[in-house]
Coordinates of all heavy atoms in Angstrom, one line a residue:
G85 N 88.3 105.2 96.8 CA 87.5 104.1 97.4 C 86.7 104.6 98.6 O 85.6 104.2 98.8
K86 N 87.3 105.3 99.5 CA 86.7 105.7 100.8 C 86.7 107.1 101.0 O 86.3 107.6 102.1 CB 87.3 104.9 101.9 CG 87.2 103.4 101.8 CD 87.8 102.7 103.0 CE 87.7 101.2 102.9 NZ 88.4 100.5 103.9
G87 N 87.2 107.9 100.1 CA 87.4 109.3 100.4 C 88.6 109.5 101.2 O 89.2 108.6 101.7
K88 N 89.0 110.8 101.4 CA 90.1 111.1 102.2 C 89.9 110.8 103.6 O 88.8 111.1 104.2 CB 90.5 112.5 102.1 CG 91.1 112.9 100.7 CD 91.5 114.3 100.6 CE 92.1 114.6 99.3 NZ 92.5 116.0 99.1
K89 N 90.8 110.1 104.2 CA 90.6 109.7 105.6 C 90.9 111.0 106.5 O 91.9 111.7 106.2 CB 91.6 108.6 106.0 CG 91.2 107.3 105.4 CD 92.1 106.2 105.9 CE 91.7 104.9 105.3 NZ 92.5 103.8 105.7
P90 N 90.1 111.2 107.5 CA 90.3 112.4 108.3 C 91.6 112.2 109.1 O 92.1 111.1 109.4 CB 89.1 112.4 109.3 CG 88.6 111.0 109.2 CD 88.9 110.5 107.9
D91 N 92.3 113.4 109.3 CA 93.5 113.4 110.0 C 93.2 113.2 111.5 O 92.7 114.2 112.2 CB 94.3 114.7 109.8 CG 95.7 114.7 110.4 OD1 96.2 113.6 110.6 OD2 96.2 115.8 110.7
V92 N 93.4 112.0 112.0 CA 93.0 111.7 113.4 C 94.3 111.7 114.2 O 95.2 111.0 113.9 CB 92.3 110.3 113.5 CG1 91.9 110.0 114.9 CG2 91.1 110.3 112.6
K93 N 94.3 112.5 115.3 CA 95.4 112.5 116.2 C 95.2 111.3 117.2 O 94.1 111.1 117.7 CB 95.5 113.8 116.9 CG 95.8 114.9 116.0 CD 96.0 116.2 116.7 CE 96.3 117.4 115.8 NZ 96.4 118.6 116.5
K94 N 96.3 110.7 117.5 CA 96.2 109.6 118.5 C 96.0 110.3 119.9 O 96.6 111.2 120.3 CB 97.5 108.8 118.5 CG 97.8 108.0 117.3 CD 99.0 107.2 117.4 CE 99.2 106.4 116.2 NZ 100.5 105.6 116.2
R95 N 95.1 109.7 120.6 CA 94.7 110.1 121.9 C 95.5 109.3 123.0 O 95.7 108.1 122.8 CB 93.3 110.0 122.2 CG 92.4 110.9 121.3 CD 91.0 110.8 121.7 NE 90.2 111.6 120.9 CZ 88.9 111.7 121.0 NH1 88.2 111.1 121.9 NH2 88.2 112.5 120.2
R96 N 96.0 110.0 124.0 CA 96.7 109.3 125.0 C 95.8 109.3 126.3 O 95.2 110.4 126.6 CB 98.0 110.0 125.3 CG 99.0 109.8 124.2 CD 100.3 110.3 124.7 NE 101.3 110.0 123.6 CZ 102.6 110.2 123.8 NH1 103.0 110.7 124.9 NH2 103.4 110.0 122.8
A97 N 95.7 108.2 126.9 CA 94.9 108.2 128.1 C 95.8 108.6 129.3 O 96.9 108.2 129.4 CB 94.3 106.8 128.3
R98 N 95.2 109.4 130.2 CA 96.0 109.8 131.4 C 95.7 108.7 132.4 O 94.6 108.4 132.7 CB 95.6 111.1 131.9 CG 96.0 112.2 130.9 CD 95.9 113.6 131.6 NE 94.5 113.8 132.0 CZ 94.0 114.9 132.6 NH1 94.8 115.9 132.7 NH2 92.8 115.0 133.0
V99 N 96.8 108.2 133.0 CA 96.6 107.2 134.1 C 96.9 107.9 135.4 O 98.0 108.6 135.6 CB 97.6 106.1 133.8 CG1 97.5 105.1 135.0 CG2 97.3 105.4 132.5

Side-chain angles (χ1 to χ4, degrees):
K86 296 181 181 177
K88 291 185 179 178
K89 292 184 178 179
D91 186 24
V92 179
K93 295 181 180 179
K94 291 183 179 179
R95 295 184 181 180
R96 292 187 175 188
R98 290 191 305 184
V99 177

